[in-house]
Structures are given as structure tokens and as C-alpha cells.
Amino acid sequence: MSRYEEIKPRELKPALLELEGISSVTVDAHYRLYQGYVAKRNEILGKLASVDLTAANQVYSELRALKVDLTFAIGGIKNHEIYFEHLGGSGGNPTGAIAKLIDRDFGSADAWRDDLKATGMAGRGWAWTAYDWDEGRLFNYIGDAQNTFPVWNATPLVALDVYEHAYFLDYQTDRAAYIDAFFANLDWDVVNGWVEAYRVPSA
């Protein structure tokens, strides 16, 4: 097995403890869950370094179990890093390049928001707005687990966590109210930074 380096959780931005409608208690608990994914990623990669490759089997083998759970742990890391990074803003309608993309591909910010909210209500774990490089446009995708990603060759730009841990302490079963709070705290400058960094064409 190839060598690997342990990683550490990204620090929690102070602004995330002052969100509108999402309590610091929820954010703190949510962040600890993310820290757990980082720890499990490191643990699994450590075990893979000495696993018996000759015993690999698709019904059951230690290699299969570790590899499958590694995707769940890494998904939990990446999904939450996007989620935490683009919260802490003032929400409202999109601005800049992402606004142009949303207007072009959904018709309006309201149509995009309605579609992503419905996608979040229909998903079991995640909803994403991602840019599909093959089709050259944005789509809203459902992900039912940490390792259920947007389709291949699509770059997530908005990550909406709809697992109960993201909202139950604040809203109990009222997921719709939580999604509204999520929208109210989006930082469009961060999203536009990703659009620029990935060179997503908005024309």
C-alpha cells in the first residue's frame, strides 16, 4: 500500500458560531462530527498500509471493508469542508459570476433556490449545486450518503447538508426552515472564489 500522510481538520471559522438561525451549539456538534471523519480517514489509511492484498474478495474482505468505508470518511471530510467554508455570509440573492450561471441555467435566483430546496427535501443526506463540465451547465444533485457524490466530472459549488445532525437541535424535524436558514447564511464571495479558481465559464 502506498504511503500516506495524516491530515488535520480545518479550523472552524469564528463566523460560523454567529450564524443567523443556525445555533453555535449545532455548529459545534457538527464540527465535531467532521473531526471524526478526519480521524477515521487517518485510521483507515493506516490499516490499509498493512492489509493483505492477496485476500481481497468482493463478498467480504478486510480490503473491501476498509476501501468502502474510506470513501465514506473522505466524503464526510470533503462535503463538510465545502459546507463550512461557504457559510458565514449574508445570504440573499447570488452575486457575481455565480449569479450569471444561476440566471443562465435556472432562469432566476428564485427558481434555483426553489429547486435546491426541493432537492434538499428529497435527499437523505446532501444536495449540491454543481457545474457539469460535460454539459457546460449547473445542476442540483441529490446525495443520500457521504460517499454519494455529484456525477463524475461535476464540481460542487454549493453543498447543502440535510442530515438531521445539521438541524435537529435547532429545528427538530422542520428541515424546510433549516434550509431557509442555510440560504440566509451563504457567503457568495466564497462561492465566486471557487468559480474563479476552477475557471468555470459563466458566459
Side-chain angles (χ1 to χ4, degrees), residues 56-107:
N57 183 279
Q58 81 270 18
V59 177
Y60 172 78
S61 60
E62 185 181 11
L63 179 72
R64 174 181 166 77
L66 290 169
K67 289 270 189 173
V68 169
D69 290 338
L70 178 63
T71 67
F72 196 88
I74 290 177
I77 294 168
K78 293 181 182 290
N79 298 339
H80 284 99
E81 287 179 348
I82 298 171
Y83 176 82
F84 289 135
E85 186 64 25
H86 71 2
L87 289 180
S90 56
N93 284 331
T95 59
I98 188 64
K100 294 178 183 178
L101 285 164
I102 286 173
D103 284 343
R104 185 193 70 189
D105 296 335
F106 289 92

Side-chain angles (χ1 to χ4, degrees), residues 104-199:
R104 185 193 70 189
D105 296 335
F106 289 92
S108 69
D110 286 340
W112 163 78
R113 192 179 293 105
D114 289 347
D115 189 79
L116 185 60
K117 184 174 183 177
T119 304
M121 293 299 294
R124 295 173 182 168
W126 289 88
W128 289 280
T129 299
Y131 182 80
D132 185 307
W133 291 93
D134 297 311
E135 298 212 18
R137 58 156 294 161
L138 298 176
F139 284 97
N140 289 331
Y141 295 103
I142 281 178
D144 283 337
Q146 300 295 356
N147 52 353
T148 307
F149 305 102
V151 296
W152 292 116
N153 208 26
T155 300
L157 297 170
V158 176
L160 169 58
D161 190 343
V162 292
Y163 275 112
E164 284 80 1
H165 62 247
Y167 61 86
F168 194 82
L169 291 175
D170 295 328
Y171 295 99
Q172 297 185 22
T173 59
D174 191 355
R175 181 186 290 187
Y178 154 72
I179 294 175
D180 289 339
F182 169 85
F183 286 133
N185 288 282
L186 277 173
D187 188 332
W188 292 113
D189 288 340
V190 171
V191 178
N192 279 313
W194 292 333
V195 171
E196 181 179 0
Y198 294 123
R199 299 182 180 179

Side-chain angles (χ1 to χ4, degrees), residues 37-48:
Y37 286 124
V38 173
K40 283 300 177 184
R41 176 262 186 200
N42 293 337
E43 178 185 341
I44 292 168
L45 283 173
K47 291 181 178 180
L48 280 169

Side-chain angles (χ1 to χ4, degrees), residues 1-32:
M1 185 68 189
S2 61
R3 296 179 61 187
Y4 77 99
E5 292 184 5
E6 289 196 352
I7 62 173
K8 295 181 179 180
R10 294 184 184 177
E11 292 186 8
L12 189 67
K13 296 190 303 183
L16 295 184
L17 299 176
E18 299 178 0
L19 299 178
E20 187 71 32
I22 302 175
S23 69
S24 60
V25 174
T26 289
V27 172
D28 186 60
H30 203 163
Y31 180 71
R32 290 197 303 271

